[in-house]
Amino acid sequence: MKTVSIDDQQNVSTTAGRIFKIIRDHGPLLGTDIVRRTGLAKSTVSAYLERLLAVGLLREEVQESGKRKKLKVAESAGYVVGVMIGQTKVHVALCDLEAEIIDSLEGPIDLLRETPECILGRVVGFARELEQKAGLGPSALFGLGVGLPCPVDYVNGVPVNPPVMPGWDRFPVARFLAQEFTCPVFVDNDVNVMTLAERDKGKVLEHGHRNGSFMLVKAGTGIGAGIVIDGELYRGAKGAAGDIGHIGLDGDSTVCRCGNTGCLEAVAGGRALVARAETAARSGRSPFLAEALERGAVMTPSLLAHGAASGDEECIRFVISSGTYIGDVLAKLVNFFNPEMIIISGGLTCLGERFIASIRESVYRRSTPLATSDLIIKQSSFVESGGMIGAAVLVLDEVFSHQNVGNLMRDHEG
Ligand SMILES: [Zn+2]
């Protein structure tokens, strides 16, 4: 076999990283597929593949004999931990190098009252427990990813101005966890993390748009979006991209918690729906909600969903208007960046198909025909696992970046 002499370390890293990324994004692949995709010489590709196989980052896919073997990521060569911190629960998963969950744990937390040290301490405990159960040593841990329900300065791994989390503002989450585990730690907001799960494991992958452009919209108490352009998460200059909940609706004077008026979130978010439900219950305009109030029921989006399903006209109107407002804003974004898919997730998806349909209708009505010609709008299929999987993908995107793959390869080669 012809060997290739490669002196330039930088070059080695970049090329190894490039080949590995192609296999990770498009694999399993044959060596000839990689030659075609990279334009590199066959001998160069073979030399790199051999090295990546030798250090255990790639493996050959098991196939019937006689067929040429395709290469894929060696998913068991190590593991990553994916963490999703919510308002009332924390989920921690041990995942393989393809972000498949091996095992997971969850526990109650109170994000409004407990200190970051206390909650992150529980995360450490869960991760250690999972490691032990799986019989894995700390050296096999490639990294840890965390999703937080607030804005995050991604580069520094710190939450920024979380609205309802005392003690968390600028708390060094990544540094705190990196001291416990001798591996890299990455922290991002929950919406971005869920977006990565959709890309690698959810409906986006199912529809063949893994390397395309799409948007995930999380509609709950607040409204936010994750943006993927050509397969890469787009965070913007400061990590604030996708904060669509505070895009203003023309002519609306509803006051938002941010101080502005007419924000999408203040008009169509969960809190707005609950407030409107309370008014409709008290005034008797909605017989369903009035009766529920009398029974002592708490007004929630899922109660509205029940009302709409039972045919209560006011509840139906609320569901449709929330979807329509969200769709109006999404239509502008569709005209702006022409995604292939929009995935809807979050608590308001409990409002059901009528909600999704009104979003879809309003996007189609208000976007340009070319932008919507093949646009797919779907509800996320993840329930609770999306956050953990996405946090694992976040780590894998980083540790398998161009530069790092070269370093990993050299480390293993000693
Ligand atoms: Zn606002």
Side-chain angles (χ1 to χ4, degrees):
M1 163 121 231
K2 191 179 158 199
T3 52
V4 179
S5 70
I6 306 152
D7 306 320
D8 183 357
Q9 289 294 335
Q10 186 69 37
N11 215 354
V12 174
S13 286
T14 311
T15 310
R18 209 171 125 214
I19 290 175
F20 188 84
K21 181 165 165 47
I22 288 171
I23 295 172
R24 203 183 147 225
D25 291 353
H26 304 275
L29 293 176
L30 291 167
T32 49
D33 297 329
I34 298 157
V35 170
R36 191 170 43 81
R37 282 175 185 273
T38 56
L40 291 168
K42 197 163 167 255
S43 56
T44 311
V45 169
S46 302
Y48 277 106
L49 290 179
E50 226 167 83
R51 287 177 71 181
L52 286 164
L53 279 163
V55 298
L57 287 174
L58 290 182
R59 72 173 177 86
E60 285 176 333
E61 194 184 38
V62 183
Q63 279 189 342
E64 313 133 55
S65 58
K67 275 198 179 167
R68 278 190 298 166
K69 290 197 172 98
K70 288 184 173 179
L71 295 162
K72 68 191 294 289
V73 173
E75 68 276 19
S76 308
Y79 63 96
V80 295
V81 170
V83 180
M84 188 57 147
I85 295 176
Q87 301 284 348
T88 58
K89 262 189 201 170
V90 59
H91 293 265
V92 181
L94 186 74
C95 299
D96 71 15
L97 298 187
E98 284 199 318
E100 289 292 334
I101 295 180
I102 300 166
D103 197 359
S104 66
L105 287 168
E106 60 168 84
I109 54 166
D110 185 347
L111 201 61
L112 306 188
R113 292 195 181 79
E114 290 175 290
T115 63
E117 287 91 344
C118 175
I119 290 174
L120 296 176
R122 218 159 316 153
V123 166
V124 173
F126 280 156
R128 292 276 183 242
E129 195 179 328
L130 289 167
E131 269 176 9
Q132 263 165 20
K133 262 171 71 186
L136 294 163
S139 64
L141 180 60
F142 274 48
L144 194 127
V146 183
L148 286 175
C150 63
V152 171
D153 170 346
Y154 180 69
V155 174
N156 294 302
V158 297
V160 179
N161 293 326
V164 287
M165 297 155 60
W168 285 82
D169 191 21
R170 299 261 160 209
F171 184 87
V173 176
R175 212 171 63 214
F176 181 94
L177 291 170
Q179 278 163 0
E180 293 290 332
F181 303 90
T182 47
C183 69
V185 177
F186 305 94
V187 184
D188 207 341
N189 71 65
D190 53 356
V191 184
N192 279 349
V193 159
M194 285 158 62
T195 303
L196 289 173
E198 286 298 337
R199 188 197 68 182
D200 282 24
K201 299 283 168 187
K203 293 232 165 100
V204 174
L205 179 78
E206 270 171 42
H207 282 79
H209 295 310
R210 162 70 177 72
N211 300 293
S213 301
F214 76 96
M215 197 164 40
L216 171 128
V217 177
K218 186 187 177 207
T221 309
I223 299 173
I227 303 160
V228 167
I229 299 172
D230 295 338
E232 304 292 335
L233 190 64
Y234 178 77
R235 294 189 174 87
K238 296 280 177 191
D243 201 353
I244 65 169
H246 301 280
I247 290 180
L249 298 167
D250 299 335
D252 194 287
S253 59
T254 312
V255 178
C256 179
R257 67 192 165 94
C258 75
N260 286 323
T261 54
C263 292
L264 176 63
E265 184 173 307
V267 179
R271 207 176 287 118
L273 277 177
V274 166
R276 244 181 282 161
E278 272 162 5
T279 312
R282 280 209 199 87
S283 69
R285 222 168 47 238
S286 156
F288 176 89
L289 294 173
E291 197 264 330
L293 186 70
E294 218 156 274
R295 271 189 289 116
V298 181
M299 297 295 130
T300 59
S302 83
L303 185 68
L304 270 176
H306 283 129
S310 75
D312 182 276
E313 282 178 21
E314 197 69 359
C315 288
I316 293 174
R317 224 185 330 265
F318 289 155
V319 170
I320 292 176
S321 85
S322 172
T324 304
Y325 282 125
I326 293 171
D328 282 356
V329 166
L330 292 183
K332 292 176 182 153
L333 302 174
V334 164
N335 286 342
F336 178 69
F337 101 111
N338 189 198
E340 283 151 323
M341 285 188 89
I342 297 176
I343 304 288
I344 313 291
S345 73
L348 290 191
T349 54
C350 77
L351 298 176
E353 189 42 46
R354 195 180 264 127
F355 174 67
I356 305 290
S358 48
I359 293 179
R360 212 177 267 137
E361 213 168 280
S362 134
V363 170
Y364 282 117
R365 198 177 55 237
R366 303 194 58 134
S367 308
T368 57
L370 181 60
T372 52
S373 57
D374 288 312
L375 175 68
I376 301 167
I377 302 176
K378 293 249 170 183
Q379 187 176 332
S380 169
S381 42
F382 288 116
V383 185
E384 283 196 316
S385 62
M388 292 182 282
I389 292 172
V393 174
L394 176 72
V395 178
L396 295 170
D397 271 8
E398 292 286 352
V399 299
F400 289 150
S401 68
H402 283 192
Q403 188 58 43
N404 281 340
V405 166
N407 294 341
L408 282 170
M409 195 170 74
R410 277 201 305 278
D411 288 354
H412 282 72
E413 284 171 340

